[in-house]
Amino acid sequence: MTITARHPAAVGAALLLLATVASGCGRSPERPGSDRTGSDRTGTERVDPPAPRGSRVYVSNETAGTVVVLDPATGQVEATIDVGKRPRGLRLSKDGARLLVALSGSPIAPPGVDESTLPPPDRAADGIGVVDLATRRLVRTLPSGQDPESFDLSPDGRTLYVSNEETAEMSVLDLASGAITRRVPVGEEPEGVTTSPDGRTVWVTCEADNTVVAVDTATLAVVGRVTTAPRPRSILFTPDGATMFVTGENGSAVTVVEPGRRQVVATVGVGHVALGALVPRPMGLALSPDGRTLFVSNGRGRSVSLIDVASRRLIRSIASVGQRPWGIGVSTDGTRVYTANGPSGDVSIVDVAAGTV
């Protein structure tokens, strides 16, 4: 079954969040889905109905300046929300009523580009957009520091930790006042940001340094650095906080860290299984609902790898998922994986058991 979007696909689908809206409860099990759906590139303002109950897939579209809302069961586009320039990182507020999105005024710069040819940055466009999910409208933009890419919330939902790639910092944002309270130097080209389950530390990947950095949330001091596979991107903890996984894009591997000791305990290569000549480039991470399987999006490798959490071993890889899958999410029943594919501007819905899109 092929699912067609309401509008032509727009190049630049970047990150993806699978979440449950504030009013979501008692939703019936999702129907099996398949194939891909594109996002809206029209840029026109639309009046959308209140968000329905249940899980939704949110996809940031970096080139269109929008967040696209999909029904995870059918893949249908429900809404396209104009948010601002270069939306990337996404998080749901702790009460589930708002979607937060990182916005950047820095021009898109592909690898190897001559930066002198780029247009000047628009620093006024930097910020954290706040989307009201009841009305599906941008209601506020908070300060973020320069060129925000990713961020995470404290467990109490009061503080936001934001990576600022161009200034090698992590900005600390108080959500109540809407003010930045501290800027913490962390390392070159910070990207992924994840708070530990106990809230005591926040970890930041530094791409150019090949490290993941631990910051104490009470003192905001750097308390640890761990070397990872080259060019670390994303971070994910097991629910108990005992294990941390970090993708290494240029190392074709996932680094497994024991955060308590701040030591690497394993490195899992995502290999070339069933991938042919395409080299896997690990980008995003998602955990199955039962916590047993780690899903890894492999970027230019056009694949998704499955890692057994207990044994820390590669189970298998699913090839031909999409063009450069990055953002990744898992359905509430664990049977489907969703990937946001940048160059083709679409989302793939993958049947995990069958290993097919």
Side-chain angles (χ1 to χ4, degrees):
M1 171 180 167
T2 299
I3 301 171
T4 304
R6 296 179 184 174
H7 299 279
V11 174
L15 299 182
L16 176 148
L17 175 69
L18 179 63
T20 302
V21 298
S23 60
C25 59
R27 180 183 170 91
S28 59
E30 299 167 352
R31 300 183 302 277
S34 62
D35 221 329
R36 304 175 185 168
T37 180
S39 52
D40 189 344
R41 69 175 303 168
T42 62
T44 57
E45 184 173 350
R46 302 204 337 240
V47 178
D48 295 302
R53 299 183 180 187
S55 296
R56 287 297 178 270
V57 176
Y58 300 96
V59 186
S60 58
N61 191 316
E62 193 170 348
T63 55
T66 61
V67 169
V68 180
V69 186
L70 306 178
D71 183 313
T74 65
Q76 292 297 317
V77 175
E78 292 187 345
T80 300
I81 306 166
D82 292 321
V83 291
K85 290 186 177 180
R86 291 193 68 191
R88 290 179 288 182
L90 299 167
R91 296 284 183 182
L92 203 65
S93 63
K94 293 298 179 178
D95 61 6
R98 293 160 295 162
L99 181 71
L100 307 175
V101 53
L103 307 170
S104 174
S106 295
I108 295 175
V113 70
D114 180 356
E115 294 189 8
S116 66
T117 64
L118 297 174
D122 177 8
R123 294 278 72 95
D126 292 340
I128 302 295
V130 181
V131 174
D132 177 13
L133 290 180
T135 61
R136 288 175 169 168
R137 290 184 178 276
L138 181 74
V139 295
R140 189 181 183 189
T141 301
L142 301 170
S144 62
Q146 185 171 312
D147 187 32
E149 181 153 355
S150 182
F151 60 92
D152 201 3
L153 287 155
S154 59
D156 62 10
R158 298 176 180 176
T159 306
L160 212 62
Y161 305 100
V162 186
S163 62
N164 303 121
E165 185 171 9
E166 295 176 353
T167 57
E169 297 173 320
M170 180 190 76
S171 293
V172 182
L173 172 66
D174 177 73
L175 285 176
S177 66
I180 292 176
T181 60
R182 188 79 69 87
R183 302 180 194 274
V184 183
V186 288
E188 293 301 314
E189 298 185 26
E191 180 160 324
V193 182
T194 301
T195 308
S196 62
D198 63 11
R200 294 180 180 178
T201 53
V202 57
W203 293 75
V204 184
T205 59
C206 297
E207 295 176 26
D209 294 343
N210 298 331
T211 60
V212 59
V213 177
V215 178
D216 185 293
T217 55
T219 64
L220 295 177
V222 172
V223 294
R225 293 181 186 272
V226 179
T227 301
T228 65
R231 198 168 188 187
R233 288 288 199 160
S234 302
I235 305 166
L236 184 144
F237 281 89
T238 53
D240 61 7
T243 305
M244 182 174 71
F245 300 96
V246 184
T247 53
E249 181 185 6
N250 289 351
S252 297
V254 174
T255 302
V256 186
V257 177
E258 188 176 301
R261 294 189 298 145
R262 296 173 190 137
Q263 291 185 359
V264 174
V265 294
T267 300
V268 185
V270 293
H272 301 269
V273 179
L275 302 182
L278 296 174
V279 177
R281 301 292 188 188
M283 303 292 284
L285 293 166
L287 197 63
S288 63
D290 62 12
R292 296 178 179 178
T293 306
L294 182 71
F295 296 93
V296 186
S297 61
N298 286 324
R300 289 181 173 84
R302 302 181 185 179
S303 61
V304 168
S305 293
L306 284 66
I307 293 174
D308 181 76
V309 170
S311 66
R312 298 163 183 167
R313 292 181 181 275
L314 178 68
I315 301 171
R316 62 188 169 105
S317 293
I318 301 172
S320 303
V321 166
Q323 297 288 322
R324 199 183 174 197
W326 186 341
I328 186 168
V330 185
S331 64
T332 54
D333 60 7
T335 63
R336 292 176 301 286
V337 166
Y338 306 83
T339 66
N341 312 311
S344 53
D346 55 25
V347 170
S348 295
I349 305 176
V350 182
D351 183 312
V352 175
T356 57
V357 176

